[in-house]
Amino acid sequence: MNLVLRRSLPLAPTHGHGSSGLDYRRDVDGLRALAIIPVVLYHAGVPGFGGGFVGVDVFFVISGFLMASLISSEIAKGEFSLVRFYERRIRRIFPALFAVLATSSIAAWFLLMPAEFVYFARSLKAAALFTSNIQFEKESGYFDIGAQMKPLLHTWSLAVEEQFYILFPLLLLLINRFARRRARLIVTGLLAVSLVACTWMLFRSQAEAFYLLQFRAWELLLGALLALNVIPVPQQSALRAGLGLGGILLVAIAIFGFSDQTLFPGPAALLPCLGAALIIHGRDETGPAGRFLQSRPLVFVGLISYSLYLWHWPIIVFSREVAGRQLSLLQGSLIVIASLVLATISWRFVEQPFRGRASFVKRIPMFASAAGVLIASVGLGDYVAHHRGVPDRLPADARTVYASTYDQSRFSLPPCFADSDKSGPSVADINAGKLCPLGFEGPAKPSFVVWGDSHSGAMAPAIDAAAKQAGITGLFAGHSSCPPLPGVQLTPRGDTGLCGDFNGAVHDLIAAQHIPLVFLVAYWPKYVHDAELPNEGPYFDPSVPPPLDDRSASVVETLDRLMAELTKQGTRVVLVSDVPEMGRYMPEAVAKAIMRGTSTDVAPPLDYIEKRQALSHAILTRLAARYGAALIDPLPSLCSNGRCDAVRNGLPLYKDADHLTATFAATLSPLYVPVLSEARR
């Protein structure tokens, strides 16, 4: 449908950009440079640019301004066409984006482990469909290490913009048809609603507030309001100069004053966004800010800013993959230079040939090519995800090691294990005693229960083997992210309602069947510190202290009360201390070490692990002594002589960063034989 408007808005802008018939503004290209340079330096790890991520917010304001300027100008002339508008977007966005997607796919094929490659495949498909902001919101937060290892993470902002560009022209068409005199009021109202919603969501789900269009639209709408002349452009040169300098100051405060710890976006994002708005609105041409922004180096960087944004992040991520560690300042600086060179080439030979009406690529072939590449990207993403990251790509020895990722027992999977998607045993199943058996299988009444979170499922093969040796039967009751602590309010990482119902049913089952022995197994350091190790990324750095804040009050109170109740009813408690956390996914880390020919001794030092486990171990020791409970600590079986093992007999001991493989867990059965043999007697 080629919609051309014959009515005009009563607020046509008097400014614009480039070949679309709008006045070219060098200062806007300079502002683009002011946005992209901090982003690149922040991502490259250059000190001093802790708030460099706000460059994306500056881009949002610029984009909203330029697009609203273009659309409203053409509507005012009666020339707006949706088809022509989207054609311009495709010419502007697709060529460089698809070049980056193709290049990144080749690099990912050779460098990424299967699980990483699956994440990449999903992001490839989402980037091609401009839904990557939704995809990444589902997966993780922006600032964690895992997210920082996703080569297409940065495409989330393109997705936000393109989603906005799909909806905003339609909004202006509707306004032009039904409410021309209220256009500014409507856009202002939408901006206010989006900003309030963003601030509200920030305290409920920072990831949603960060990634999703409805919570970011206010930044683009701020630029749109400038285009709609809500505030008249100042005429005095001194005022223009002041607005330009003030805008640069606000952006600079955000760049140099913010950090990964800043609660963002929300109100904090007002600083860079208002700064960008002041610069755009001031239209300073002769003042110090205008001269700075219109300088040739900044204008040139602004011209290549789109290619620079696209290329710099995959280069950083894949350079880390090759180096096998975080990049040094020198390496980061060299990557910045390389990104500038590649962006210049991309701008000249990939972007430019598709731009403008004089392009050698005509409309229909361009649409067809774009559709073909999009389909190919989606197809490749589906293929890689369906084949679990195509592990056959790996050399045989690395593939053997990586197979440990899938080494898990039935106790870590439904129907034995209750997952957050409500699969596995239900409350009704627990009430009926329909839980997976452990140990000797027969008609005998269960003599024990293993109760805990996913770490109980990982440890269950050891208890299962010991129970078989002792000749007794038990039941397994494990639920993901659900410690055996009835009534504890979980952080947003766990579902308190599901967990509470599950724990209540297990507690009632133990009492109803008079089960004499219960093993409480959980990821104790996570709960007493309310934090896992920092995302357990592939570049774990033991020089960075682990999270050690004491958040144990509710854990201690609940565990104390539970042990008192169990002891009073005649059930003996066995507390199982947690295994050492490795800080990275072991099969991936070991497989990469093999491929690089480096050491496979990649476990954290023992003193690091002891610091991390000190609080939880002290709590478990104290409560075990109070109630005469047994305490089983697997740490000595994994660590000795000042170090811990990540690999034995050529295979990782963990299937990820903190769950043992089923094969290795079974070797820990001697830890449990004494207490189970005593239970039998």
Side-chain angles (χ1 to χ4, degrees):
M1 181 175 62
N2 191 11
L3 289 178
V4 179
L5 270 288
R6 296 303 178 189
R7 295 180 178 179
S8 62
L9 285 167
L11 41 119
T14 59
H15 42 67
H17 194 73
S19 62
S20 57
L22 302 176
D23 300 332
Y24 172 59
R25 288 183 54 177
R26 288 175 59 89
D27 64 320
V28 171
D29 271 329
L31 181 57
R32 280 193 174 111
L34 202 63
I36 187 59
I37 291 172
V39 170
V40 174
L41 296 179
Y42 165 73
H43 284 155
V46 176
F49 291 86
F53 54 85
V54 303
V56 173
D57 303 84
V58 175
F59 274 124
F60 283 159
V61 177
I62 296 172
S63 295
F65 168 73
L66 294 178
M67 287 305 102
S69 297
L70 170 64
I71 296 168
S72 58
S73 175
E74 291 189 348
I75 288 177
K77 298 174 185 177
E79 299 174 351
F80 180 70
S81 162
L82 276 176
V83 172
R84 190 167 62 246
F85 173 78
Y86 293 130
E87 177 188 354
R88 281 194 295 255
R89 293 309 305 160
I90 290 174
R91 291 184 182 278
R92 171 80 170 104
I93 297 298
F94 277 39
L97 174 62
F98 284 148
V100 169
L101 295 184
T103 305
S104 297
S105 298
I106 294 171
W109 180 274
F110 290 103
L111 294 175
L112 298 185
M113 290 291 112
E116 296 171 325
F117 201 24
V118 168
Y119 277 107
F120 175 85
R122 292 172 183 161
S123 65
L124 174 67
K125 179 179 177 179
L129 296 173
F130 294 103
T131 58
S132 52
N133 60 324
I134 299 171
Q135 179 67 34
F136 289 123
E137 185 276 323
K138 292 178 181 177
E139 291 179 356
S140 64
Y142 184 67
F143 296 112
D144 65 79
I145 297 174
Q148 298 265 343
M149 287 314 302
K150 296 174 182 176
L152 302 180
L153 176 69
H154 62 323
T155 61
W156 75 269
S157 63
L158 300 184
V160 169
E161 288 195 5
E162 293 311 307
Q163 291 160 16
F164 181 80
Y165 293 152
I166 290 172
L167 298 175
F168 188 64
L170 301 177
L171 172 66
L172 288 187
L173 293 179
L174 291 173
I175 291 175
N176 184 67
R177 184 176 180 85
F178 299 108
R180 282 177 288 163
R181 297 183 182 279
R182 295 182 176 86
R184 298 165 181 166
L185 180 63
I186 292 172
V187 174
T188 302
L190 290 173
L191 185 156
V193 169
S194 176
L195 176 57
V196 170
C198 178
T199 303
W200 178 82
M201 182 55 68
L202 185 64
F203 296 96
R204 287 156 180 80
S205 172
Q206 187 177 7
E208 290 187 46
F210 189 93
Y211 282 113
L212 300 185
L213 172 64
Q214 60 267 38
F215 306 118
R216 288 294 198 144
W218 68 269
E219 302 181 34
L220 292 125
L221 291 171
L222 178 60
L225 284 179
L226 299 176
L228 299 179
N229 293 328
V230 172
I231 302 175
V233 176
Q235 301 302 314
Q236 300 90 343
S237 58
L239 180 55
R240 289 184 172 188
L243 291 176
L245 286 173
I248 290 176
L249 178 62
L250 290 180
V251 174
I253 290 173
I255 291 170
F256 299 112
F258 289 0
S259 72
D260 292 357
Q261 306 306 314
T262 301
L263 193 60
F264 196 88
L270 282 168
L271 206 61
C273 289
L274 290 177
L278 290 177
I279 293 169
I280 293 171
H281 190 63
R283 297 179 60 85
D284 179 29
E285 297 178 356
T286 59
R291 292 195 300 271
F292 171 68
L293 292 173
Q294 295 178 79
S295 61
R296 294 184 66 179
L298 280 187
V299 170
F300 176 73
V301 173
L303 290 172
I304 68 169
S305 60
Y306 176 58
S307 278
L308 181 55
Y309 182 76
L310 284 178
W311 286 103
H312 84 280
W313 181 246
I315 293 175
I316 289 173
V317 172
F318 288 120
S319 295
R320 289 172 179 159
E321 287 287 349
V322 172
R325 63 178 185 276
Q326 293 286 13
L327 301 174
S328 67
L329 178 58
L330 175 60
Q331 290 170 324
S333 301
L334 292 175
I335 283 175
V336 171
I337 296 172
S339 299
L340 284 167
V341 172
L342 185 56
T344 302
I345 296 171
S346 175
W347 171 73
R348 176 64 183 84
F349 297 105
V350 179
E351 287 190 61
Q352 291 297 103
F354 291 88
R355 296 275 192 87
R357 296 176 181 175
S359 171
F360 71 90
V361 182
K362 302 308 177 184
R363 175 182 289 178
I364 294 178
M366 186 200 62
F367 275 111
S369 299
V373 176
L374 188 152
I375 292 170
S377 299
V378 172
L380 177 60
D382 283 339
Y383 173 83
V384 173
H386 178 72
H387 289 83
R388 301 175 72 176
V390 198
D392 290 344
R393 298 173 296 118
L394 304 180
D397 50 355
R399 188 164 63 246
T400 299
V401 164
Y402 188 81
S404 299
T405 300
Y406 312 110
D407 185 356
Q408 55 188 342
S409 73
R410 62 192 177 100
F411 302 109
S412 293
L413 300 167
C416 290
F417 184 71
D419 217 332
S420 55
D421 61 2
K422 300 185 180 181
S423 59
S426 64
V427 169
D429 292 331
I430 299 170
N431 291 336
K434 295 179 180 178
L435 294 170
C436 284
L438 291 144
F440 178 76
E441 294 189 19
K445 178 183 174 182
S447 300
F448 68 94
V449 168
V450 175
W451 179 11
D453 58 11
S454 61
H455 284 214
S456 70
M459 185 58 74
I463 303 174
D464 181 45
K468 287 177 180 176
Q469 183 176 339
I472 62 173
T473 300
L475 298 175
F476 174 73
H479 191 302
S480 64
S481 299
C482 182
L485 299 170
V488 166
Q489 293 295 310
L490 301 176
T491 63
R493 288 188 292 274
D495 189 313
T496 300
L498 286 176
C499 182
D501 294 342
F502 180 89
N503 280 335
V506 175
H507 184 273
D508 292 345
L509 175 70
I510 294 170
Q513 297 198 14
H514 304 288
I515 295 176
L517 183 67
V518 60
F519 292 85
L520 302 182
V521 191
Y523 189 172
W524 299 114
K526 169 184 174 180
Y527 302 119
V528 301
H529 297 297
D530 193 22
E532 301 182 27
L533 287 187
N535 192 51
E536 304 162 351
Y539 307 122
F540 171 76
D541 183 359
S543 67
V544 177
L548 296 176
D549 291 345
D550 188 345
R551 305 286 178 81
S552 64
S554 62
V555 173
V556 173
E557 179 184 355
T558 306
L559 185 56
D560 192 333
R561 183 172 62 250
L562 174 63
M563 293 180 69
E565 293 172 357
L566 292 172
T567 302
K568 184 177 180 180
Q569 70 188 32
T571 298
R572 187 186 182 199
V573 176
V574 179
L575 297 173
V576 181
S577 189
D578 197 34
V579 297
E581 298 159 280
M582 291 290 102
R584 70 186 92 184
Y585 287 86
M586 284 295 102
E588 292 181 6
V590 176
K592 288 180 180 180
I594 289 173
M595 292 171 67
R596 298 186 186 110
T598 57
S599 173
T600 58
D601 184 12
V602 291
L606 178 58
D607 61 346
Y608 181 96
I609 291 169
E610 288 175 337
K611 288 179 184 177
R612 171 67 172 167
Q613 291 201 347
L615 177 60
S616 62
H617 193 269
I619 291 170
L620 297 182
T621 300
R622 184 170 68 250
L623 291 177
R626 180 177 301 170
Y627 294 103
L631 175 61
I632 295 177
D633 186 3
L635 187 145
S637 298
L638 286 88
C639 307
S640 61
N641 300 321
R643 59 181 296 278
C644 295
D645 290 337
V647 179
R648 285 183 187 170
N649 301 319
L651 294 176
L653 308 188
Y654 292 75
K655 76 179 189 70
D656 51 28
D658 48 67
H659 296 86
L660 298 177
T661 65
T663 300
F664 177 72
T667 69
L668 300 180
S669 61
L671 295 176
Y672 300 92
V673 169
V675 70
L676 288 170
S677 297
E678 181 181 341
R680 182 184 182 186
R681 291 193 298 270

